[in-house]
Amino acid sequence: MIAHLFNAPVGDEETAVGVGTVGSSEAIMLAGLAFERKWQKKRRAEGKPFDKPNIVTGANVQVCWEKFARYFEVELKEVKLREGYYPMDPEKAVELVDENTICVAAILGSTLNGEFGDKNKETVCDTPIHVDAASGGFIAPFIYPNLEWDFRLPLVKSINVSGHKYGLVYAGVGWVVWRSQENLPDELIFHINYLGSDQPTFTLNFSKGSSQIIAQYYQFIRLGFEGYKSTMENCTANAKVLKEGIEKTGHFDIISKETGVPLVAFSLSLKDSSRYTVFNIADSLRKFGWNVPADAELIAVTSAAALAAERLVSDIERVLKELDALPSQLIDSSETARVKKRGREQIEEDVTKYWKRFVKKKRTGVC
């Protein structure tokens, strides 16, 4: 069903193959392994070295790509982002491709602003492509059916998608689909007969529940194509309400685009960024019950129900009034300094300090 949704070629000699996974992280590990093994086999046949594989991707992907590269000793070659352009630049990606590149990994729905990049740009590159459609894979087929990002593009060999995002299933399920059996090396597949018949398996995690897979199947049957389309159109409409409300405050620049994941990403306008940061805004919103993600420049909010979107805009306006009323020197200087650090580094530092104090207290009774 998912292969059909992604326009996989189906014929007498062409059959898509796929597997359910624990989220898109495992799906990406499996897809990467398939590309690595195919590349190694080809290099061996050509009598060439096969010990330095690399993968080309954008700096806008999620951390699971860094995990794959580190865990399986594959060099990660990132296309740097440029001001105002958050998808991976396909021309820059081609420049990084060499004979050791196992695949180019494109993302459908930039992690930073949800934007769909251009997967259909003409290039002279014939390197296989994997599309990380974790967020966008259950959006584009329903509201952007003419956007060619999937198996309609000959170089796209595999696609992953998260069922627990816009697939409308609770957390814990992802999917990876290969264009055909040819794209998944046989040596990666294990055949077991624990239940009395042959059962092919290709997963990193063998024992897991089937509840999320049943839930995904139920949603497909219950909602159908039209049901998913209606849901995604509703999400898009709610994102529009949120975007218009944030724009009206006059304090922000909208970074997200019309075509993409239904979310709103925005940054402080130049006149406001000198007085406070997006971290100050995100922290102040917590007292109203909002937990919004922020990095050094952007705030990104996924679409909520229309009434919730209107309430969020109202609370943002209240927070801005409070911050505007404060002298600029009273804005938390330590918080401003934290902006210069990557959020992940700061969290690790805070946790380490906490546990050092905790252990010291246990040992000596003194904080």
Side-chain angles (χ1 to χ4, degrees), residues 125-176:
C125 179
D126 62 355
T127 303
I129 294 173
H130 174 85
V131 179
D132 178 356
S135 295
F138 281 129
I139 297 170
F142 303 108
I143 56 178
Y144 305 112
N146 295 324
L147 179 68
E148 294 191 358
W149 63 274
D150 51 20
F151 291 120
R152 285 170 287 184
L153 303 180
L155 289 176
V156 173
K157 306 302 182 184
S158 55
I159 298 172
N160 72 277
V161 63
S162 287
H164 60 217
K165 291 178 181 172
Y166 291 90
L168 309 182
V169 180
Y170 45 88
V173 65
W175 305 93
V176 57

Side-chain angles (χ1 to χ4, degrees), residues 14-292:
E14 292 180 304
T15 304
V17 61
V19 65
T21 62
V22 181
S24 276
S25 292
E26 185 187 10
I28 283 169
M29 303 294 164
L30 299 179
L33 279 171
F35 280 114
E36 184 179 23
R37 193 58 57 89
K38 286 272 291 184
W39 174 82
Q40 289 174 338
K41 188 175 181 179
K42 178 183 175 183
R43 297 284 289 182
R44 282 194 188 99
E46 295 172 346
K48 296 179 180 179
F50 52 89
D51 59 334
K52 294 182 179 180
N54 69 64
I55 190 168
V56 174
T57 188
N60 60 339
V61 296
Q62 295 189 7
V63 70
C64 48
W65 284 103
E66 294 181 39
K67 284 185 176 181
F68 167 74
R70 190 179 303 177
Y71 292 170
F72 296 100
E73 298 182 329
V74 175
E75 180 188 2
L76 187 67
K77 300 172 75 172
E78 286 188 336
V79 178
K80 303 303 180 185
L81 303 181
R82 63 175 187 264
E83 185 71 26
Y85 187 80
Y86 296 99
M88 178 178 68
D89 186 329
E91 294 182 358
K92 297 292 184 183
V94 171
E95 291 174 5
L96 293 179
V97 170
D98 58 28
E99 63 178 4
N100 293 322
T101 301
I102 63 175
C103 78
V104 173
I107 186 169
L108 187 73
S110 172
T111 303
L112 298 175
N113 71 339
E115 182 178 356
F116 290 169
D118 185 359
K119 310 293 183 299
N120 200 24
K121 182 167 283 190
E122 292 289 336
T123 69
V124 296
C125 179
D126 62 355
T127 303
I129 294 173
H130 174 85
V131 179
D132 178 356
S135 295
F138 281 129
I139 297 170
F142 303 108
I143 56 178
Y144 305 112
N146 295 324
L147 179 68
E148 294 191 358
W149 63 274
D150 51 20
F151 291 120
R152 285 170 287 184
L153 303 180
L155 289 176
V156 173
K157 306 302 182 184
S158 55
I159 298 172
N160 72 277
V161 63
S162 287
H164 60 217
K165 291 178 181 172
Y166 291 90
L168 309 182
V169 180
Y170 45 88
V173 65
W175 305 93
V176 57
V177 181
W178 287 269
R179 171 184 288 272
S180 67
Q181 183 71 55
E182 177 189 354
N183 300 119
L184 178 56
D186 288 336
E187 60 265 32
L188 292 176
I189 301 173
F190 289 82
H191 294 267
I192 59 174
N193 63 351
Y194 296 159
L195 301 179
S197 62
D198 180 62
Q199 180 185 351
T201 177
F202 176 39
T203 59
L204 298 180
N205 182 51
F206 188 75
S207 299
K208 59 186 177 185
S210 61
S211 57
Q212 295 100 336
I213 294 173
I214 295 169
Q216 183 79 81
Y217 185 54
Y218 171 80
Q219 291 286 53
F220 283 165
I221 298 297
R222 175 70 177 83
L223 297 175
F225 189 94
E226 291 302 320
Y228 268 86
K229 181 181 178 182
S230 176
T231 301
M232 299 313 154
E233 287 176 342
N234 188 50
C235 287
T236 302
N238 292 338
K240 184 178 180 181
V241 171
L242 185 59
K243 172 179 174 289
E244 291 173 350
I246 290 171
E247 281 181 317
K248 286 179 181 177
T249 68
H251 288 266
F252 302 102
D253 297 320
I254 302 297
I255 306 301
S256 48
K257 305 297 181 182
E258 294 294 329
T259 302
V261 177
L263 60 77
V264 183
F266 51 99
S267 62
L268 275 168
S269 61
L270 188 60
K271 64 183 178 65
D272 296 297
S273 60
S274 61
R275 301 198 70 252
Y276 41 78
T277 72
V278 293
F279 286 107
N280 297 132
I281 295 171
D283 283 346
S284 297
L285 281 171
R286 287 193 180 95
K287 66 183 178 183
F288 296 110
W290 298 104
N291 184 17
V292 298

